[in-house]
Amino acid sequence: MARYKYYNYDQLMMVPVSLEEQLIPGTLEYAIHHVVEERLDMSMFDDRYRNDETGRKAIDPKVLIKIVLFGYSRGLISSRSLERACKENITFMALSCGQRPDHSTIAAFVSSLDKEIEPLFTKVLLICDEEDLLGGTHFSLDGLKLSSNAAKEWSGKFEDLKKKQEALERKVKEAVREHRASDKQELDRSSSDRKRQEKRIKGLKQKAECIEKFLSENEPKIGSRGKEIQSNVTDNESAKMATSHGVLQGYNANAVVDEKQQVVLHAEAFGKGEDASSMEPMLDGTKDKLKAIGCKDPLKDKQVSADTGYYSVKNLEACKNHEVDAYVPDPQFRKRDVRFADAGRHRRPVDKRKAYIGDVLHIISC
């Protein structure tokens, strides 16, 4: 007969953990811990707090910035997920030194970083330069589409939004009319049905008022071609963008990285779907960041590579003005290059024939 070791969950186990030993040299968490503790001046956050004489002690901004940076590197971008990680993940426990910041504390800290993020980013770049992590010869530009906290259904030109508002107002009137009619016919109707209908009417009114307020406080968005483009009631800085997974409402996030160690030199999000419009501001931002850490002529004679989406005559002129050696593929070069004029003659002609298989029409290539 088989024998197994006895196990019992109804017992206590004392596990001593050294937080410092969890931050192993050579790992990302150790690098974040070391840079924040030893190299960054975080005194800029002191003016936020007025608890020197009264009030509860605040969680040190060093702890919060470590949690946020390491969390982002692990794909944890919500405050609740970071809060949960500080309770369950030993690495986050070590970085937070056993403290468990509430999600509201993390959210308030991140949302108020707009003034401090620029000097912090510059200091990190300066440290990377001192540690010889920047090559400074070849930079790469690329981007991706990020969803915003806004629905596509709330997008449209001003005329479309006005029609949507009118449609909602008609629904409100219709719902109110149905509500009154049902009150007359069904005097014994349950209170839950009445509350449900009242809630629906209230929701429709709020949506209509939201659109009305947006239209009164904003102007139509004008695109690069001088024509009106779609606005969004929830987040008007975002835009509809086509991706490989469909259309999303969001931002086009771009980053310029140094070739040597893939250090990000500049990052910015744009409310435009096309990549071409973001290349010039990305070059300007990279130049400003490198100047801030003491680089003279930071882009002169440097190589910058980007994919086909960034190609435009305007961008080539911008690269020329920055004296940049740019490598951006021309998507239409085959049509303009005479060497490809007869490229089609080498293709084998395809004979496509239609045939019914059962009741379905198929196109067959022969």
Side-chain angles (χ1 to χ4, degrees):
M1 183 176 179
R3 295 189 303 158
Y4 302 103
K5 288 185 177 181
Y6 173 76
Y7 61 91
N8 179 18
Y9 289 104
D10 187 19
Q11 59 178 318
L12 298 177
M13 184 172 62
M14 304 298 292
V15 183
V17 177
S18 171
L19 297 179
E20 193 172 16
E21 290 180 0
Q22 307 307 312
L23 305 175
I24 304 171
T27 61
L28 177 62
E29 54 267 28
Y30 179 85
I32 292 174
H33 170 69
H34 175 75
V35 169
V36 173
E37 287 290 340
E38 305 294 337
R39 307 295 294 274
L40 288 183
D41 179 14
M42 306 289 284
S43 60
M44 65 183 73
F45 292 97
D46 293 345
D47 294 336
R48 287 187 176 194
Y49 303 97
R50 297 289 185 270
N51 60 347
D52 49 343
E53 296 181 359
T54 60
R56 184 181 179 182
K57 291 183 179 180
I59 295 179
D60 197 310
K62 290 182 179 180
V63 171
L64 294 174
I65 200 71
K66 291 178 195 176
I67 295 170
V68 171
L69 290 178
F70 187 67
Y72 286 175
S73 72
R74 294 295 182 266
L76 303 178
I77 58 175
S78 71
S79 300
R80 292 185 184 274
S81 63
L82 293 174
E83 177 191 12
R84 185 167 57 252
C86 291
K87 297 177 181 178
E88 301 174 354
N89 188 294
I90 189 62
T91 305
F92 280 92
M93 292 179 187
L95 287 173
S96 62
C97 211
Q99 301 181 40
R100 297 180 176 183
D102 186 76
H103 64 271
S104 58
T105 302
I106 299 173
F109 177 75
V110 173
S111 61
S112 60
L113 275 177
D114 53 335
K115 294 181 180 179
E116 292 87 0
I117 195 66
E118 284 286 337
L120 274 179
F121 190 86
T122 303
K123 289 177 182 178
V124 171
L125 277 184
L126 186 59
I127 293 170
C128 292
D129 189 40
E130 292 173 354
E131 297 295 329
D132 196 28
L133 297 177
L134 300 181
T137 57
H138 182 197
F139 309 135
S140 297
L141 168 63
D142 205 354
L144 77 161
K145 308 297 191 297
L146 296 176
S147 297
S148 65
N149 189 21
K152 295 181 291 184
E153 292 73 18
W154 288 93
S155 293
K157 296 181 180 179
F158 266 48
E159 183 180 353
D160 300 328
L161 294 176
K162 184 65 177 177
K163 291 180 180 178
K164 188 178 183 71
Q165 177 194 353
E166 293 171 352
L168 287 170
E169 290 174 347
R170 287 195 299 270
K171 287 184 179 180
V172 170
K173 293 179 181 178
E174 183 180 347
V176 171
R177 186 167 56 251
E178 291 177 357
H179 189 186
R180 291 173 179 172
S182 60
D183 283 344
K184 292 179 180 179
Q185 296 174 2
E186 303 175 13
L187 298 177
D188 59 342
R189 192 175 55 152
S190 64
S191 60
S192 60
D193 292 340
R194 186 179 294 105
K195 288 181 179 179
R196 191 182 303 111
Q197 198 161 16
E198 290 174 352
K199 184 178 180 181
R200 176 172 174 264
I201 294 172
K202 183 179 179 181
L204 291 172
K205 283 183 178 179
Q206 287 177 343
K207 290 180 179 179
E209 290 171 357
C210 183
I211 296 177
E212 183 181 9
K213 182 180 179 182
F214 175 82
L215 294 175
S216 63
E217 295 179 353
N218 294 273
E219 296 292 333
K221 290 174 66 175
I222 306 300
S224 56
R225 298 181 180 180
K227 297 181 179 180
E228 182 185 357
I229 59 176
Q230 291 187 353
S231 303
N232 186 272
V233 177
T234 309
D235 184 358
N236 200 29
E237 293 183 353
S238 64
K240 274 187 176 180
M241 302 178 186
T243 70
S244 57
H245 301 288
V247 178
L248 60 80
Q249 185 75 32
Y251 291 90
N252 188 359
N254 286 254
V256 174
V257 299
D258 184 84
E259 179 187 32
K260 188 174 182 179
Q261 294 292 340
Q262 302 297 299
V263 175
V264 177
L265 303 177
H266 180 62
E268 193 170 348
F270 301 91
K272 296 181 180 179
E274 68 276 7
D275 292 330
S277 61
S278 59
M279 185 170 187
E280 187 172 0
M282 289 301 295
L283 290 175
D284 294 335
T286 303
K287 185 176 181 179
D288 293 339
K289 293 292 191 305
L290 293 176
K291 274 189 174 181
I293 63 173
C295 297
K296 295 182 179 179
D297 298 325
L299 294 182
K300 185 177 181 180
D301 299 328
K302 302 297 189 297
Q303 294 180 350
V304 174
S305 58
D307 60 34
T308 309
Y310 293 92
Y311 179 86
S312 72
V313 176
K314 184 180 179 181
N315 286 340
L316 295 182
E317 292 175 352
C319 292
K320 182 180 179 181
N321 294 334
H322 284 290
E323 300 182 79
V324 168
D325 184 14
Y327 293 84
V328 186
D330 177 4
Q332 303 295 330
F333 82 98
R334 289 178 180 269
K335 294 183 179 180
R336 290 193 289 267
D337 196 327
V338 294
R339 292 174 294 180
F340 292 92
D342 298 330
R345 64 188 177 89
H346 299 291
R347 296 176 182 172
R348 182 172 63 88
V350 178
D351 182 15
K352 293 184 178 180
R353 300 177 183 177
K354 297 180 180 180
Y356 279 95
I357 301 178
D359 296 331
V360 181
L361 177 63
H362 293 264
I363 298 178
I364 303 173
S365 298
C366 301

